[in-house]
Amino acid sequence: MKKGLRTVVGYFVLGIALQAGIYYYLENDLFAPSADYDIVSNTGSSSGTQGNESAFADVQVKGRAYYSHDYQYMADVSADSVTIYHAGNLDNPQEVELKGQGVSFFEWLPDRDLGLIALYPKDWHGGRWNITLARYNPEATTHESDAPIKDLPKGSKIVDVAFSTATNEVYLKVEVGDGLYRIYRTDANYATRRIFTPATSIGKIAVFFDEDKFFYDDADKGIIYLFNSKNSSWRIISPPGRYRLVGIGPDKVIYAARVNNDGEAVGYYTGKLGVGFEQVKQLDTPVNFNTVTMHLIEEAAKKHAADKAAGKDDGTNQKEISSEQE
């Protein structure tokens, strides 16, 4: 009898240990955010390029630091928390109420102290998969759901956002599968709808700051597209060849890179709607496209313009007109 009791107890303990191991695997491996879902932002770093980050030097950052445009606020963002610090009151940070949701994207608007937070159901237990783009005003200490998107494929997350600060249109890049993306658009009235794109392998997204004109590139085919919301039309704006979008400047200059069949950048380009694209630098050695930034192309464009003005243009930087013009 005692031997049988020990056997039952042994199986019971083994069962608990096995259940705990399965739970740990599900919680920390299977359902944990993958590397692709690290918190990201449009710029790949904090908003703003100049300011006084030293005001937050004493803050022990748990995740990743994002600074508002005037450096009055810093957001400490991790996969499941957002903490807002004010430069003049570091001892009283604001903990953003996420209601148990995970964070897949954070960005400060470039012209005001307003944060955009992309949320998804971190602890999902079945049912519909809904995600939300929330905005947080640290001076009001409240946030509201600006763009709820409901009943998406399991695992979907907002991974990039492009916004027009003058017109208040926001475009959301949503990953719905491995390498598969959708675009959604919301506006000042919180009307959210899907924008059906010519391709699903979406790379960089961008929008004019004062016009509802949306840009993205097909990462597989190397084509840059323009979406005009006024008539819901798409058109190709990149020259013949393979090109990737890098970004849009405040002066509506389009920054792009020409890529080879391996997806490596081999040339820097700038362009304007209705004018076309011009090569501003030919790279002697192909580079990883992910290392190409707007700043690199802007510096190359300045040098190219100076060389042309000084008569030093060797003819390698030829102007290329896009396949369609406005």
Side-chain angles (χ1 to χ4, degrees):
M1 185 69 178
K2 291 182 179 180
K3 181 177 179 182
L5 180 60
R6 285 197 300 270
T7 301
V8 171
V9 171
Y11 280 124
F12 179 76
V13 172
L14 180 62
I16 293 177
L18 181 61
Q19 184 177 14
I22 293 174
Y23 176 81
Y24 180 85
Y25 167 72
L26 293 176
E27 183 70 14
N28 293 277
D29 291 280
L30 187 60
F31 292 145
S34 69
D36 292 337
Y37 292 139
D38 288 342
I39 310 303
V40 296
S41 74
N42 271 341
T43 58
S45 61
S46 306
S47 296
T49 56
Q50 296 179 349
N52 187 15
E53 297 180 16
S54 61
F56 304 95
D58 294 334
V59 176
Q60 297 295 318
V61 178
K62 297 183 298 182
R64 180 177 177 183
Y66 295 82
Y67 301 93
S68 63
H69 76 107
D70 56 4
Y71 282 81
Q72 289 299 305
Y73 293 95
M74 182 195 76
D76 180 4
V77 183
S78 67
D80 55 8
S81 69
V82 178
T83 305
I84 308 293
Y85 292 87
H86 188 276
N89 189 13
L90 296 179
D91 294 332
N92 295 290
Q94 301 175 23
E95 297 287 343
V96 180
E97 177 54 56
L98 304 179
K99 299 180 180 180
Q101 299 181 90
V103 183
S104 61
F105 176 93
F106 182 90
E107 181 69 284
W108 290 103
L109 289 184
D111 64 343
R112 69 198 80 170
D113 293 330
L114 188 69
L116 298 178
I117 309 171
L119 304 173
Y120 68 96
K122 179 173 63 72
D123 299 318
W124 188 68
H125 299 292
R128 294 184 174 182
W129 185 282
N130 303 330
I131 62 177
T132 300
L133 180 71
R135 66 179 183 180
Y136 186 84
N137 183 348
E139 297 181 358
T141 66
T142 59
H143 75 278
E144 57 183 292
S145 297
D146 289 345
I149 307 174
K150 300 180 179 180
D151 201 16
L152 291 174
K154 174 187 173 183
S156 299
K157 292 178 175 68
I158 298 169
V159 294
D160 203 356
V161 170
F163 37 80
S164 169
T165 56
T167 61
N168 289 321
E169 277 86 19
V170 181
Y171 287 84
L172 316 175
K173 175 182 173 181
V174 178
E175 184 170 13
V176 295
D178 186 16
L180 300 176
Y181 301 92
R182 294 179 186 174
I183 297 296
Y184 290 83
R185 176 190 179 275
T186 188
D187 56 25
N189 296 318
Y190 312 140
T192 303
R193 63 186 175 95
R194 181 180 175 185
I195 304 297
F196 288 90
T197 59
T200 57
S201 56
I202 297 171
K204 180 69 177 178
I205 65 174
V207 66
F208 278 162
F209 76 96
D210 64 347
E211 290 185 78
D212 191 2
K213 291 185 176 179
F214 170 74
F215 302 81
Y216 88 94
D217 67 280
D218 182 335
D220 288 341
K221 295 183 179 179
I223 300 173
I224 302 176
Y225 292 95
L226 163 66
F227 175 75
N228 190 335
S229 181
K230 288 184 179 181
N231 53 21
S232 297
S233 64
W234 286 99
R235 66 187 184 92
I236 296 173
I237 63 167
S238 52
R242 296 174 59 87
Y243 290 82
R244 297 290 308 276
L245 178 66
V246 177
I248 305 290
D251 51 0
K252 298 186 179 180
V253 172
I254 305 166
Y255 295 87
R258 184 164 55 90
V259 297
N260 58 22
N261 291 333
D262 295 324
E264 301 169 313
V266 295
Y268 296 161
Y269 284 71
T270 61
K272 281 272 193 177
L273 289 184
V275 177
F277 285 80
E278 180 180 13
Q279 180 177 274
V280 297
K281 184 174 182 179
Q282 181 175 327
L283 302 180
D284 296 329
T285 303
V287 300
N288 187 327
F289 170 75
N290 293 325
T291 66
V292 180
T293 64
M294 286 175 53
H295 177 72
L296 286 175
I297 300 179
E298 184 177 26
E299 291 301 309
K302 289 179 180 178
K303 184 178 184 305
H304 172 56
D307 288 346
K308 285 204 301 184
K312 297 179 181 179
D313 188 3
D314 60 5
T316 60
N317 294 324
Q318 298 297 320
K319 190 170 187 178
E320 296 192 36
I321 303 300
S322 60
S323 57
E324 294 188 33
Q325 298 185 34
E326 260 196 350

